[in-house]
Every structure is written in C-alpha cells, then in structure tokens.
Amino acid sequence: MSPRVGFIGLGAIGTPMARHIARAFDAVVWNRTAATAQRFAREHGATAAGSPAEVVVACDAVITCLPTSREVGEVLAAAGEAWRPGGLLIDATSGDPAGSRGHAAWLAERGAGFVDAPVSGGTAGAERGTLTVMLGGDEPWISRARPIVSAYAAKVEHVGPVGAGHALKAVNNALLALNVVAAGEGLAALVKLGVSAERAVDVLNASSGRSNVTEHLIPDRVLTGAWPRTFSLALLDKDVGVALAVLADTGVESGVYAAVKRALEAARAVLDPGADHVEAIKAIEARTGARIRSAMRQTG
Ligand code: NDP
C-alpha cells in the first residue's frame, strides 16, 4: 500500500517538492502560516493539517523542509507524544549534523526513525523533480525514505550515518558560496581593467575555472539583471556556518571557509534581509565600484 506522506514547511523550495509528493502519494501538509497550507491543499488535492501532531498521527512518514535544525527541533517537540514506534521523519532541511543526531536519538527513544535528506538543485530542480538528495541514516529507515524522496529527485544517494547528508550538503553549499564570492570579486577586477563581464564569463565558461555559478547563475541572473529571489543569502550564510562547524569537529583547519563566511556576512550587512544569495555580487559591486551586471537592465 502506498504510504501516507506528510510535508511540513511550504517555503520557496518546500512548495515545489511537496507538489511532487502530492502527485505521488496521499499527502498531508502543515505550514506555520496556515493559509499557505490551505491554499496548497486546495490546489493540489492534499489535506491541510491543523498542527504538526496531526501530520505525525495521520502519516507513515513526514518530510520537514525548514530553515535550520532548530526549527525542525521545534516541530518535533510540538508533535511530542504523537510520535509512535515505526514513524519516520525525513529531514529535507539543510540542517546541521549535531542537531540531526539529537533529533535521531529523541525519535529512537520513541521507536521512530530519522533520516537526513537535504537537497541540491534549487527551486528550478524542485519544480522539475530533478533534485539531488543526500541521505544520512541507517536501515531500515533509508529503504523506507528512498522511494518517497525519489518523487522529487533525479539522484538519491545514501552517503553515511545520521548527519552525513547534512555535512555533505553544507560542504556543497560552502563551495557554491566560494564560487559566488570568487567569481564576483574576479569579475569586478576584470571589469575595472576594461574587460566586458559578458565576454569574461563567456571565456571562463570555455575554460577550467567554470562552475555552476559562471555557467548558470551569473548569465541568468546577473548579466540579465533579473536577480530572482529563490534561495536567500541568509540561508547560504547559515550553510557555510554549518560547514565551518563540520570542519572544526573533524579537526580540519581551513582559512578559506572562514574567509567565505566573512564575505557573506559583509554582503548581508549592506543588503536587505530578504536578499538572494546571488545578490552577494551586488555587494561586491558596491564596495569595488565595478558594474558586473549588464548595462542593458540596471535593476536593484
Ligand atoms: P523559506 O524561507 O522560503 O521557507 C521556510 C519555511 O519554513 C516556510 O514554510 C516557513 O513558514 C517555515 N518556518 C520558518 N520558521 C519556522 C518555525 N519557527 N516553525 C515552523 N515553520 C517555520 O526557505 P526555503 O524553502 O528556501 O529553504 C528551506 C530549507 O531548504 C533551508 O534549510 C534551505 O537552506 C534549504 N534549501 C533551499 C534551497 C532553495 O533554493 N531555496 C535549495 C536547497 C536547500 P512560513 O510560510 O510561515 O514563513
């Protein structure tokens, strides 16, 4: 029988992920702002629950997609004794490994399971159902989680015990942040030398320094002047903080990750709180005086 799946956290990426869940399973949703869950239920044939406890009682497995592991802990506690033996929490939040181990232990005391299952691929990947999912946890919970997260994924990989998925996701996002900052600063210098940003990006993308940032984010968002808000700079900064903790916990010294964290913090200080992660390049433009964005559409 197909499992009944709960989804908690209908934000920028949670909503398109939950759409795939509602297509594949009998879905029950909850969101802190209740109107969002009610609208989602109406539009996608899901049930809107009145509380996290109602979701846990109604479902075989519950997916959370919240800002940090702290909010996941709040939702876990809010559901409290609704957790029963055999229940499963699949945490799609980009959380922190230590928090995840705590959540797993809390659930294990109640006979329930925890799998960390952060995603990569952005809101566009979530819309298409082509996300990469990094699973951390133990059997039999992993085997139960895999067909559920496959509803929105093109690649599902079990990478280690509880917390390993969150650790891998944090390192991934630190690399994303590094690429945003390094490409932004490098392009600022090139523009000041008189090289057009469009031409520089075109050449980088036929050279060994290319990345997802130079191939997609800068051409689609910076050079077009579109600046969409799909993944906040605040959340990326949180992820680099998690990566720094992962390195510290494992005794790996790095000046690079700390420098990237400082660069994101400096960008946040001059941008508005809702800024997208790519807008860190706006902050680099502001402090260097270089205009990387296209001269065609000077927005923001
Ligand atoms: P958003 O800020 O768009 O959404 C956050 C969600 O969490 C909303 O549903 C919000 O509810 C809910 N929420 C916030 N605080 C609480 C709380 N205290 N209690 C209960 N619910 C709460 O974030 P995203 O959807 O962008 O990100 C979610 C997670 O996914 C993050 O960990 C992020 O790092 C990760 N991620 C995001 C990607 C992206 O492209 N956006 C890509 C990959 C991972 P409400 O509607 O009431 O505000």
Side-chain angles (χ1 to χ4, degrees):
M1 209 177 73
S2 176
R4 203 160 193 223
V5 179
F7 202 103
I8 292 179
L10 297 170
I13 197 155
T15 298
M17 288 163 65
R19 270 190 220 121
H20 290 284
I21 292 295
R23 254 176 241 144
F25 305 101
D26 187 7
V28 181
V29 297
W30 182 82
N31 193 66
R32 179 180 61 176
T33 305
T36 308
Q38 285 153 5
R39 190 173 58 245
F40 182 94
R42 270 196 312 278
E43 291 175 358
H44 303 288
T47 304
S51 66
E54 273 184 38
V55 181
V56 171
V57 167
C59 295
D60 303 292
V62 178
I63 299 171
T64 39
C65 190
L66 298 169
T68 72
S69 291
R70 187 166 54 80
E71 289 80 17
V72 177
E74 288 170 15
V75 163
L76 264 183
E81 298 312 313
W83 288 102
R84 292 273 180 269
L88 171 61
L89 176 64
I90 301 169
D91 186 20
T93 305
S94 299
D96 70 84
S100 302
R101 287 190 285 270
H103 298 150
W106 190 89
L107 286 162
E109 283 169 18
R110 289 154 182 82
F114 177 94
V115 168
D116 42 315
V119 301
S120 184
T123 52
E127 297 282 354
R128 289 192 300 266
T130 57
L131 292 171
T132 295
V133 180
M134 308 160 201
L135 296 178
D138 303 316
E139 295 294 351
W141 309 112
I142 291 289
S143 293
R144 279 184 50 193
R146 192 182 283 279
I148 296 172
V149 300
S150 295
Y152 49 70
K155 183 174 178 66
V156 179
E157 202 65 35
H158 181 200
V159 299
V162 168
H166 282 152
L168 178 49
K169 171 66 185 174
V171 169
N172 177 76
N173 277 25
L175 297 180
L176 165 64
L178 169 68
N179 279 299
V180 169
V181 172
E185 291 178 346
L187 286 171
L190 291 168
V191 165
K192 287 184 146 201
L193 282 172
V195 180
S196 105
E198 280 88 353
R199 182 158 298 160
V201 169
D202 183 51
V203 172
L204 285 172
N205 287 334
S207 305
S208 51
R210 69 188 180 278
S211 66
N212 181 54
V213 171
T214 60
E215 289 184 319
H216 300 291
L217 297 181
I218 292 178
D220 297 350
R221 298 170 176 224
V222 180
L223 299 183
T224 59
W227 303 107
R229 291 190 163 178
T230 63
F231 174 46
S232 75
L233 179 58
L235 286 176
L236 183 61
D237 185 23
K238 169 263 301 182
D239 292 333
V240 180
V242 173
L244 271 171
V246 168
L247 266 65
D249 288 350
T250 50
V252 175
E253 285 181 26
S254 166
V256 175
Y257 281 56
V260 172
K261 180 90 173 72
R262 283 195 300 277
L264 296 194
E265 285 168 2
R268 287 181 69 187
V270 297
L271 295 168
D272 74 73
D276 187 77
H277 66 303
V278 179
E279 290 179 67
I281 291 176
K282 282 186 181 171
I284 292 169
E285 287 184 322
R287 85 176 142 83
T288 60
R291 298 288 282 187
I292 298 166
R293 67 187 88 174
S294 163
M296 290 179 289
R297 284 177 59 191
Q298 302 289 348
T299 52

